[in-house]
Amino acid sequence: MKKAYKPDFAKPDEIYTEFHRRELWGFLENLYKWKGFPDTIETRFFNRLLLRSGFAPFLTYNGDIITCDGAAHGLDMYLRDTRFNVSNPFLKGVEREVGKDCALCFNTLNYRQPESCDLLVEIFARRLAQIDISLDTSLKNSRASIIVVVDSAEDALKIAPALDNLYKGDAAVITTAKGWKDNKEIFPLSPKDNIISAELADCRNNVMAQFYEYLGIDTIAVDKKERTNLAEMDSNAQQLYINGLRMDAARERFCEDVEKVFGLSIDFEKNKPEEIEKGVNPNDKSMSTAGTDTGA
């Protein structure tokens, strides 16, 4: 078992990237749900293997259908894999023929070079980390109400502890007379000018909206809600549909292959919340009788 991750807060870029990396992987691993899987298949492991490796198998072992790590190889006339070798140490030497006692599910239809979600997660985790660092900087600078211009590096070193105390949240500071002379220039700053948390929150929503778009999930960036017209909505709908097909079509193909190879009917769908009509209380049973003629 791997050791628990210990954050080093002296490296905020590393911490925030790792945090968002885990959050995005958690989202992806819960994006799809499957129906009809045999009891010998752990859905969570299958989804994780599929997303991180770019492909995952169904294969027979001791009369059961299982999934595991391994390597696909061999080529047919369409350059598709024909064999699968298991790399799980508990299943030594197991090899199966694709289409006979094995079916491969790919994350996308690019079966010649299986595509995992590693690149997608890494790019957006790094972008979100930069937003978090900017937010921390904005909040920290909101406590820096003055800028002191000094004559030399020696004077700067004397002033620095006083300013550090401001950054730490002290309401007032005390320093020596030598460290604070009459000839020093002081520029006051408005704390509000340094707080850009609202803009950064919008930026985060826009970045996440783009992440969702790559997965074919319908969402509108915050700063576009008031200026999106019908033409843009139609264009966005087509883009979302095509983006969603990248991963959906590969899973549809897998469902067909599983039925051909194993005679097993499986299906999948994206997880989504149940739609509730706004303004209607779903627990209000009187709504179901509204407008009904009782004959009275």
Side-chain angles (χ1 to χ4, degrees):
M1 179 180 294
K2 294 183 179 180
K3 294 182 179 180
Y5 176 75
K6 293 183 178 180
D8 181 0
F9 286 96
K11 302 176 181 178
D13 181 73
E14 176 186 315
I15 292 175
Y16 285 130
T17 300
E18 178 62 21
F19 172 79
H20 289 293
R21 188 183 288 126
R22 296 184 182 194
E23 290 296 307
L24 295 177
W25 276 122
F27 178 89
L28 286 170
E29 290 171 4
N30 289 280
L31 178 59
Y32 288 97
K33 59 182 179 181
W34 295 87
K35 299 178 181 179
F37 269 27
D39 295 336
T40 50
I41 300 288
E42 187 186 54
T43 305
R44 182 178 59 180
F45 177 82
F46 180 85
N47 279 334
R48 186 180 181 87
L49 184 61
L50 177 58
L51 292 166
R52 292 177 180 263
S53 300
F55 65 95
F58 267 23
L59 55 92
T60 57
Y61 182 77
N62 288 342
D64 293 324
I65 300 175
I66 65 169
T67 188
C68 61
D69 295 295
H73 61 97
L75 296 174
D76 66 6
M77 62 183 297
Y78 299 111
L79 303 181
R80 293 176 299 195
D81 299 298
T82 59
R83 311 290 297 179
F84 184 83
N85 284 81
V86 174
S87 61
N88 190 309
F90 293 96
L91 309 173
K92 296 180 180 179
V94 174
E95 182 179 4
R96 295 291 181 263
E97 182 178 347
V98 177
K100 181 179 179 181
D101 44 20
C102 176
L104 291 178
C105 181
F106 290 91
N107 191 40
T108 70
L109 286 179
N110 185 8
Y111 49 82
R112 296 179 62 182
Q113 186 176 357
E115 296 177 312
S116 70
C117 288
D118 283 337
L119 194 58
L120 178 69
V121 168
E122 198 63 25
I123 288 173
F124 281 92
R126 291 174 183 269
R127 288 181 182 176
L128 292 168
Q130 293 303 314
I131 295 173
D132 284 338
I133 293 173
S134 295
L135 180 59
D136 282 352
T137 304
S138 171
L139 296 176
K140 186 175 182 180
N141 285 340
S142 70
R143 298 195 294 274
S145 58
I146 60 173
I147 291 180
V148 182
V149 179
V150 296
D151 296 329
S152 64
E154 290 76 12
D155 286 343
L157 291 174
K158 296 174 182 178
I159 297 295
L163 294 180
D164 284 340
N165 288 337
L166 281 177
Y167 277 115
K168 293 175 182 177
D170 289 354
V173 295
I174 298 176
T175 186
T176 63
K178 292 183 179 180
W180 198 278
K181 298 179 181 180
D182 294 337
N183 63 346
K184 301 297 182 292
E185 297 183 52
I186 299 176
F187 295 89
L189 295 177
S190 171
K192 291 184 179 179
D193 294 338
N194 289 318
I195 300 178
I196 55 173
S197 56
E199 291 81 356
L200 291 172
D202 286 348
C203 181
R204 184 198 302 277
N205 290 334
N206 294 336
V207 169
M208 288 305 302
Q210 188 179 21
F211 174 78
Y212 297 139
E213 286 176 3
Y214 278 111
L215 301 173
I217 299 175
D218 188 11
T219 182
I220 299 177
V222 174
D223 64 349
K224 294 187 64 177
K225 287 183 178 179
E226 297 182 358
R227 59 182 177 85
T228 302
N229 55 40
L230 292 177
E232 286 180 320
M233 291 174 65
D234 290 341
S235 176
N236 289 342
Q238 183 177 9
Q239 177 185 345
L240 289 169
Y241 175 73
I242 294 174
N243 285 347
L245 281 180
R246 293 180 62 253
M247 297 172 69
D248 290 353
R251 286 157 176 77
E252 290 175 358
R253 173 70 178 269
F254 176 65
C255 293
E256 296 172 358
D257 290 345
V258 167
E259 186 167 10
K260 291 178 181 178
V261 175
F262 304 105
L264 182 66
S265 178
I266 63 173
D267 198 5
F268 73 95
E269 64 179 353
K270 281 189 172 77
N271 271 315
K272 58 182 179 180
E274 295 182 2
E275 296 182 1
I276 299 177
E277 186 177 352
K278 292 183 178 179
V280 177
N281 184 355
N283 297 321
D284 188 357
K285 297 183 180 180
S286 64
M287 296 297 295
S288 61
T289 59
T292 303
D293 186 3
T294 60

